[in-house]
Amino acid sequence: MHQTFSKPHWFLLVCILLLSGIAIVPRLPLLTEPFVGSHLFRQLQTLSTIEAYANQGVDLLRPRTNYMAYPGHLLLEFPLFQAIAASLSNFLKQEPLVVTRTLNLLIGLLSAGVLYGIARHYYDSSAALIVAFAFLITPLNLMYHVSTLTDPTAVLAVLVATNAYLHLTKPHASFRWVWPFFAALVVSVLIKPLYLLPLALMVMAEFSTALIKEKSMWCGFAGWLNHRKAVWIPLTFALVVMIGWLNASSLLSSGQDVTSHLGWSALRNPSFYITITLRYLFYIQTPIALLFTMLGWIWLRGNTPNNRMHWWVFALLPCIYYLLFANINRPHDYYSLILVPFVALASGGGMQWLLETARTHANKVTAAIAITSFLLGSFLYLCNYWLT
């Protein structure tokens, strides 16, 4: 982990808080609007389950939806978020819509805080703050952090698991991180199992490094199993939970199960690649951040000896994710929410490089111009997003 700069970057912190406020405040009037946002059918479907729970009581294995004939129910994901939102709605005596959207907004802010903690494993505090800021103002998050979907909860679970994993892989790691690691893994596999792909790739990167370092692959394999018991044992249990849940949900659901949208037929359609490219450039990150993302891949490759292999995870993650889950991603842009924090992490490497060049007097003006351009460009992009 990099050391914090000796002088506090108060100006930078104030700018980030201000721009984050600009990213959040315009969404507040949307909390009471039922027909605002993308994929309204899916949002209203989830909201109908929350309202049914609030009015009729919580039944985790029989969630009612607005288009399944009685006594039909649909288990696309474990309805943990729906149950919490309904319980809060009854406790606060507020409309489920307002409570659900407010809850997702708070989950988004909490995710930014956890992402800051992850970024501190790689960068200085100033670059980590910019990573959290980039995460908050990404257009995809602007759309879905006030939605009624369960996806922000799944993203938060993956981020908590990733942060715990990075702590567990440190020298002399504390085993107290095993419990949040396991709990977050279970929540993730119950809601959106495919969202665990980034963490799975990070584990694979470290595992492959362990094999390469040893003369014998068997020695590397045995050594990794011995030193990473706190990682592979919770992962194994989570895998068992995922398999059990997928089988149970297909049996309990009256309609389609979670695997019905998986497939690769979209890969044969040229429009898939155009859609995904535009989504990456304009929804998953802001155009002004693309240069910082590419610089971040280079910086991570040469400046993170303990996590050196992670650079290719951040660089190739979007391609791997879209190729593995092509059919479900083509029509559903919200399935790209899991990519946003890891793209923001990569862009932090470019900002880290800029901040390090600012340590020399000759580069301070250049770095100040670049950072100001990043913040101003993000602000203008944000204004354009809201005005259109």
Side-chain angles (χ1 to χ4, degrees), residues 248-262:
S249 63
S250 62
L251 293 173
L252 293 170
S253 181
S254 301
Q256 59 191 346
D257 59 46
V258 71
T259 61
S260 60
H261 291 292
L262 298 181

Side-chain angles (χ1 to χ4, degrees), residues 26 79 111 128 130 198 296 307 337 384:
S111 298
I130 293 178
N307 301 303
L337 283 168
N384 180 69

Side-chain angles (χ1 to χ4, degrees), residues 321-339:
Y321 181 73
Y322 286 134
L323 288 175
L324 287 178
F325 309 111
N327 282 9
I328 202 167
N329 271 288
R330 186 186 179 189
H332 304 116
D333 56 7
Y334 57 87
Y335 269 86
S336 298
L337 283 168
I338 188 58
L339 299 179

Side-chain angles (χ1 to χ4, degrees), residues 75-103:
L75 276 174
L76 289 178
E77 66 263 330
F78 187 76
L80 175 65
F81 172 78
Q82 294 91 318
I84 293 174
S87 300
L88 285 174
S89 176
N90 287 338
F91 177 77
L92 298 172
K93 301 186 184 306
Q94 297 292 327
E95 288 293 326
L97 174 66
V98 176
V99 172
T100 303
R101 289 191 164 173
T102 303
L103 180 60

Side-chain angles (χ1 to χ4, degrees), residues 210-211 214-225:
L211 295 182
E214 298 293 337
K215 295 181 179 179
S216 167
M217 290 186 64
W218 171 250
C219 291
F221 177 71
W224 187 85
L225 288 181

